[in-house]
Amino acid sequence: MLMKSDTDMTKADIAAADEGVPVSVKIRERIKAARQRFHSNDNIAEFIQPGELDQLLEEVTEKMQGVLDAMVIDTANDHNTEDTARRVAKMYLREVFAGRYVKGPTVTEFPNAEHLNELMIVGPITVRSACSHHFCPVIGKIWIGVMPNEHTNVIGLSKYARLAEWIMGRPQIQEEAVVQLADLIQEKTQPDGLAIVMEASHYCMAWRGVKDMDSKMINSVMRGVFLKDANLRREFLSLIPRKA
């Protein structure tokens, strides 16, 4: 029996071969073919074709229902959980982890026409994420310090919040999230210096484990002149009203 070569296969043949293949497998294979990684805090939007996010929602719903079944929850007769599988799938894909599946926000950049070169601080920006270890909420605030130069691109204040929301909308650990955000803002604005401080509560520690409700994690990233100039770094840190 002769087999068709790839060049002989029609679109109908390809569609038939694809039938029954989970959309998550198709997306994963595209990523692997591009030799890109797909860690929990990576954005994979460029590998998702139109309509596939809806298909992925159906697939995750089905698998989430399997989780509920394995937990011996009678979703068929329990009115409180009969639609929980779909609600959880929608929450993950469309809301709390949307930063994995959608492209980044459009950011209009303007030239620094007035040659601004004074310290600018944006914050506190409230951010919400989830730890990649337990998928428990991480909720906190971010402060961003920018030291522009005459070549720096100026972006609107709300755009800092949108960029932060996009980065945080993935299963994250705080240390990596702040670095990802710094890299993105650095790329968009090209300042002389960039400083970010994040303070957050981790519910993997407050809700489970030691159940300590008061502990917070604080970390920072310093770039450019903030790293080199101790006085500027102190000025930035002193101007952050962390108790606000």
Side-chain angles (χ1 to χ4, degrees), residues 74-213:
D74 183 7
T75 59
N77 296 296
D78 176 9
H79 63 280
N80 288 318
T81 58
E82 61 182 346
D83 291 321
T84 292
R86 186 171 186 84
R87 283 194 294 265
V88 172
K90 184 177 179 181
M91 176 187 71
Y92 282 146
L93 294 179
R94 301 285 191 185
E95 299 174 286
V96 295
F97 297 154
R100 295 198 76 233
Y101 305 104
V102 299
K103 294 180 179 179
T106 301
V107 177
T108 304
E109 302 161 17
F110 304 95
N112 186 3
E114 299 300 323
H115 295 176
L116 303 173
N117 63 353
E118 300 293 337
L119 172 61
M120 178 185 73
I121 299 175
V122 182
I125 299 169
T126 299
V127 291
R128 300 163 187 86
S129 188
C131 76
S132 47
H133 298 149
H134 297 94
F135 279 17
C136 289
V138 175
I139 300 177
K141 298 183 183 298
I142 283 179
W143 293 263
I144 301 168
V146 177
M147 180 59 75
N149 60 50
E150 62 183 64
H151 304 295
T152 296
N153 295 322
V154 178
I155 64 176
L157 293 181
S158 66
K159 303 306 181 186
Y160 289 99
R162 293 191 182 279
L163 292 174
E165 179 183 30
W166 185 61
I167 290 291
M168 296 296 162
R170 310 166 192 182
Q172 285 278 16
I173 65 169
Q174 185 172 329
E175 304 93 307
E176 293 178 358
V178 172
V179 172
Q180 280 189 325
L181 181 58
D183 290 344
L184 183 60
I185 295 174
Q186 186 87 27
E187 175 190 344
K188 296 289 184 184
T189 62
Q190 298 296 316
D192 274 349
L194 175 66
I196 300 178
V197 169
M198 179 173 175
E199 178 184 272
S201 297
H202 290 244
Y203 283 75
C204 58
M205 186 175 178
W207 189 31
R208 55 162 300 280
V210 297
K211 297 185 174 129
D212 186 337
M213 297 295 295

Side-chain angles (χ1 to χ4, degrees), residues 4-19:
K4 290 184 179 180
S5 67
D6 290 343
T7 54
D8 292 332
M9 291 184 71
T10 65
K11 289 183 179 178
D13 292 327
I14 295 171
D18 277 350
E19 188 175 353

